Amino acid sequence: ETLEVNIDLIPTFANTEIICQDKDADIYIDEQFKAKGVFKDILTQGKYRLKVVKPSYRTFSKEIDIVSGKPFVEKVHNLEPIYGKLNIDSNPFDADIYIDGKSYGKTPNQISKVLIGQHSLSLKKEGYAELQATIEIAEGKISTYNFTMQQQKKQEKQEKQTLASDVETFRVKGVEFKMIKVEGGTFSMG
């Protein structure tokens, strides 16, 4: 004899989607890393601690409640940046300031909005070797740096001073040649 049984299956999970506007942000659920930028998965019914983390930004944190069978979507908008200040000077002054490749004017300078953490600093000035350093910016503090730049050696200066006007292009029987003018006394042959 065959017995017919009707069973209603009730899901104990929900489709869960967490979308961060900043695709570099790390998503954690109950302190476990889940994804970068976007999390799509199923979670069983219950309460969870959601955290979105990115260096130099304030952490987004909240408790989420997953209800069986009810899709859950959380959109995390821009995380709040954390800034510090940078006071920078150089000897000689009037050097071009670059932080992480972006120009920030000339020395001396106080820059009021620099993300906290480590950054690559570069100072450039005509006649001086480029200065590169790693700097640290702290929240709510003024980080002060004073650098002394080194003059370029005479040969380095001359190499950098080769301009387009110092190069002459000419053709002989269809072959192109470039002649670079070199100042007397700056080279040796033999």
Side-chain angles (χ1 to χ4, degrees):
E1 168 179 354
T2 304
L3 179 64
E4 190 175 305
V5 178
N6 288 328
I7 300 174
D8 288 331
L9 297 176
I10 300 171
T12 59
F13 62 87
N15 289 322
T16 305
E17 188 172 4
I18 299 163
I19 305 162
C20 299
Q21 190 167 358
D22 187 337
K23 301 302 179 205
D24 291 334
D26 294 335
I27 299 170
Y28 291 84
I29 297 177
D30 288 344
E31 302 299 327
Q32 288 188 325
F33 175 77
K34 294 294 182 179
K36 194 174 270 299
V38 176
F39 170 77
K40 288 183 182 183
D41 205 345
I42 57 171
L43 291 178
T44 57
Q45 180 170 312
K47 294 186 185 303
Y48 295 88
R49 174 56 58 191
L50 167 64
K51 281 173 58 174
V52 178
V53 178
K54 182 177 178 183
S56 303
Y57 290 80
R58 299 221 186 276
T59 297
F60 172 87
S61 180
K62 80 181 266 187
E63 186 176 277
I64 59 174
D65 192 12
I66 303 299
V67 178
S68 292
K70 184 178 176 187
F72 177 86
V73 177
E74 178 75 35
K75 292 183 180 178
V76 179
H77 298 286
N78 288 332
L79 297 175
E80 181 186 350
I82 305 171
Y83 294 111
K85 293 182 180 183
L86 172 63
N87 190 8
I88 186 162
D89 202 355
S90 67
N91 182 12
F93 69 92
D94 208 32
D96 294 315
I97 303 167
Y98 295 90
I99 301 171
D100 298 329
K102 183 179 175 189
S103 177
Y104 280 86
K106 295 184 179 284
T107 60
N109 197 349
Q110 183 172 39
I111 304 163
S112 61
K113 279 188 157 185
V114 181
L115 284 174
I116 64 167
Q118 287 192 344
H119 298 276
S120 297
L121 171 80
S122 179
L123 296 179
K124 298 178 183 179
K125 183 169 176 74
E126 179 87 25
Y128 291 83
E130 180 178 346
L131 186 141
Q132 294 183 336
T134 300
I135 58 172
E136 182 78 28
I137 305 297
E139 179 179 4
K141 296 186 177 174
I142 298 174
S143 301
T144 301
Y145 291 91
N146 192 351
F147 294 100
T148 300
M149 300 179 74
Q150 302 295 317
Q151 279 193 303
Q152 284 182 326
K153 295 180 178 100
K154 187 177 182 180
Q155 183 179 0
E156 288 175 359
K157 278 189 200 175
Q158 289 170 343
E159 287 173 6
K160 289 196 174 203
Q161 288 177 350
T162 301
L163 304 173
S165 62
D166 294 336
V167 178
E168 186 178 320
T169 303
F170 60 96
R171 288 183 178 274
V172 175
K173 295 185 179 179
V175 177
E176 186 175 284
F177 295 91
K178 290 186 179 184
M179 180 170 53
I180 300 173
K181 298 174 186 174
V182 180
E183 184 180 326
T186 61
F187 65 96
S188 60
M189 294 177 67

